[in-house]
Amino acid sequence: LAARAAGETRITGAAELRVKESDRLAALAVNLRRIGVQVEELPDGLVIEGTTRPLSGRVECFHDHRIAMAFGVLGAAPGCDIRVDDPGVADVSFPGFWRLLTRVTDAARRRPTAPGRCTVVTIDGSAGAGKSTTAAAVAARLGFRHLDSGAIYRAVTLGLMDSEDGCETVERITPRELAALALEVRWDGAAMEIRICGESVPEAALRAERVTAMVSRVSAVPAVREHLLELQRDAARPPGLVAEGRDMGTVVFPDAGVKVYLDADPRERARRRLLQGGAADPKPEEVEAEAARLAVRDRTDSSRTVAPLLMAADAHHLDTTDMEPQSQIAAIVNMAMAAEAGRQPSRRAGESD
C-alpha cells in the first residue's frame, strides 16, 4: 500500500519482522528497490516514497509466504507488472491465495461504472511503433473496449476495392457511395467486429497486401474521414475505451483523458513490421527496404490536409525503441488509472514532452 500511497510512509516499531521466516524488513526493502520504489531501511522499519510510476520486475520471496503475498497484491494493482519467484510458498498459510487474488482483481476490472462516465485512452503513432499490440493489451488490462481505427479504414478500403467502381475515383467519392457500404462496428465486450453490408470482415482480408497498398490513399480522402468520425466516437462507452490510430488524440477524441504518442527508431519499426509479417530473422537489406516503405507512409500520413499524423500537444511521448512491451503497457495502464483517480502521473524514463 505504501508503494502506491501519496507521499512518504514511515513505518517504525516493527523490529520483530527481522526474525520471521525471513528478515522481512530487508526483504521488503530490496524488492521494493528492484521494482522501482524509493525506500530507506531503518533498524525497526522502513520509509517508503509512494509513486504512480509503473512498477515492474522480479521479486525474491526468500522462502517467505508473507513476502510472496505482499508483492502479489501489489502486482495486481493497475500499472504493475511484478513477477514473484516462488508463488507456491504462499500455500504455507493461504492455500488458494493466487486463485482468489485473480478472482478479486478480475471482478474489480469488470465493476459497473457510473452512467455517462467513460475514460478514453488514445494511442497514436506511426506504423510499426507498437500501437496495435500495446492498445489491445492495455484495453484487456483495464477491461475497456479496443478501437482499432486502422482496421476500420482497411474495411472501407476493402469494400471500395470490391465495389463496382473500385478505388480509382476514391478522391471523388460521395457520402451516398460510402453509406452504400453499410459499414458497422459491433462489440462483444471489448472485442470489435467490423461488418460490410451485413457480412463480418475477416482479419486476413483486412491485412491483405492489396488493402495495405491502398489504405493510405483511401484514408487521406476527407469524405472518408468525415464519414467515419461519428462511428469511431460512438465507441466511447463505459467503462472506457482505448483507441489507436493516427488522429485519435488530435481529431477523434481531442478531450481524451489520456493521450499517448508511440514512436520508435525507423529501423526498429521496420524490423517489427517484418516480424509481424512472419519473417523469422529479417536481413539488413530487408529492414532497409521496409524502412523506406514506412518513410513513404509517414510522409503521406503527416502531409495530408485532413487529420494528419501529429502528436497532440498534451500527449505523453513514449519512445518504444528500447522498451519492453510489458513496460510500455504498464506505463499506459498507470496513466489511465491515474486519470480516473483525478491525478496526473509523473513522467518516467523513456518519456519526453
Side-chain angles (χ1 to χ4, degrees):
L1 292 176
R4 279 306 195 216
E8 180 184 281
T9 299
R10 179 176 289 266
I11 301 168
T12 58
E16 73 277 5
L17 294 180
R18 292 196 180 277
V19 289
K20 300 293 185 178
E21 283 83 346
S22 69
D23 181 340
R24 288 178 178 165
L25 293 179
L28 286 168
V30 70
N31 282 317
L32 285 170
R33 292 189 188 105
R34 282 176 180 170
I35 62 174
V37 178
Q38 293 184 21
V39 56
E40 177 187 353
E41 188 175 346
L42 306 175
D44 65 341
L46 300 169
V47 179
I48 301 169
E49 186 68 32
T51 179
T52 60
R53 293 194 305 272
L55 303 177
S56 63
R58 184 175 183 272
V59 300
E60 184 178 355
C61 298
F62 299 98
H63 309 292
D64 190 332
H65 55 124
R66 300 293 185 189
I67 298 298
M69 290 188 286
F71 282 95
V73 171
L74 180 57
C80 295
D81 180 27
I82 298 170
R83 297 172 298 284
V84 175
D85 72 334
D86 184 14
V89 74
D91 290 344
V92 170
S93 62
F94 197 156
F97 168 79
W98 299 104
R99 290 192 299 274
L100 178 60
L101 181 64
T102 299
R103 287 204 303 271
V104 170
T105 53
D106 285 350
R109 288 168 183 156
R110 293 193 300 267
R111 69 190 184 279
T113 305
R117 184 185 179 196
C118 178
T119 297
V120 175
V121 178
T122 62
I123 302 178
D124 290 309
S126 47
K131 297 189 302 295
S132 296
T133 302
T134 302
V138 169
R141 289 267 192 99
L142 295 170
F144 288 3
R145 285 179 170 184
H146 170 213
L147 176 69
D148 181 353
S149 67
I152 296 175
Y153 281 100
R154 284 175 174 271
V156 172
T157 303
L158 178 64
L160 292 175
M161 293 178 79
D162 290 344
S163 67
E164 184 177 342
D165 294 330
C167 283
E168 295 308 313
T169 59
V170 67
E171 285 78 11
R172 299 192 298 276
I173 196 166
T174 66
R176 178 175 293 183
E177 290 171 314
L178 287 167
L181 294 175
L183 181 72
E184 296 178 82
V185 174
R186 297 187 180 183
W187 296 92
D188 180 9
M192 182 178 77
E193 179 195 12
I194 303 175
R195 291 178 172 245
I196 293 179
C197 295
E199 297 293 327
S200 182
V201 183
E203 180 72 13
L206 294 177
R207 305 296 168 183
E209 287 188 17
R210 68 188 186 111
V211 175
T212 299
M214 184 61 68
V215 66
S216 284
R217 179 179 167 187
V218 172
S219 62
V221 177
V224 173
R225 303 199 77 85
E226 179 66 26
H227 181 73
L228 296 179
L229 189 58
E230 289 307 316
L231 179 76
Q232 294 172 91
R233 286 177 174 168
D234 188 58
R237 303 290 179 89
L241 176 73
V242 178
E244 58 155 303
R246 287 170 171 76
D247 64 344
M248 295 294 101
T250 53
V251 175
V252 183
F253 299 106
D255 298 323
V258 176
K259 300 180 185 180
V260 179
Y261 188 90
L262 295 185
D263 200 3
D265 176 82
R267 289 178 179 79
E268 175 60 18
R269 289 168 48 209
R271 187 186 70 83
R272 292 174 185 174
R273 293 283 282 193
L274 291 169
L275 290 173
Q276 189 179 38
D281 186 17
K283 298 177 181 178
E285 57 269 25
E286 293 174 325
V287 172
E288 291 296 331
E290 182 64 21
R293 284 191 287 270
L294 290 178
V296 172
R297 175 74 185 272
D298 289 347
R299 285 194 295 272
T300 300
D301 291 341
S302 300
S303 61
R304 64 189 178 216
T305 56
V306 178
L309 171 63
L310 296 171
M311 185 174 78
D314 53 347
H316 296 261
H317 180 205
L318 282 183
D319 185 334
T320 67
T321 303
D322 298 315
M323 288 184 75
E324 291 293 328
Q326 288 303 318
S327 295
Q328 62 200 48
I329 292 163
I332 299 171
V333 168
N334 182 67
M335 293 175 199
M337 297 306 296
E340 283 201 320
R343 62 180 185 270
Q344 180 66 29
S346 58
R347 298 192 185 276
R348 54 166 286 166
E351 283 190 59
S352 61
D353 286 313

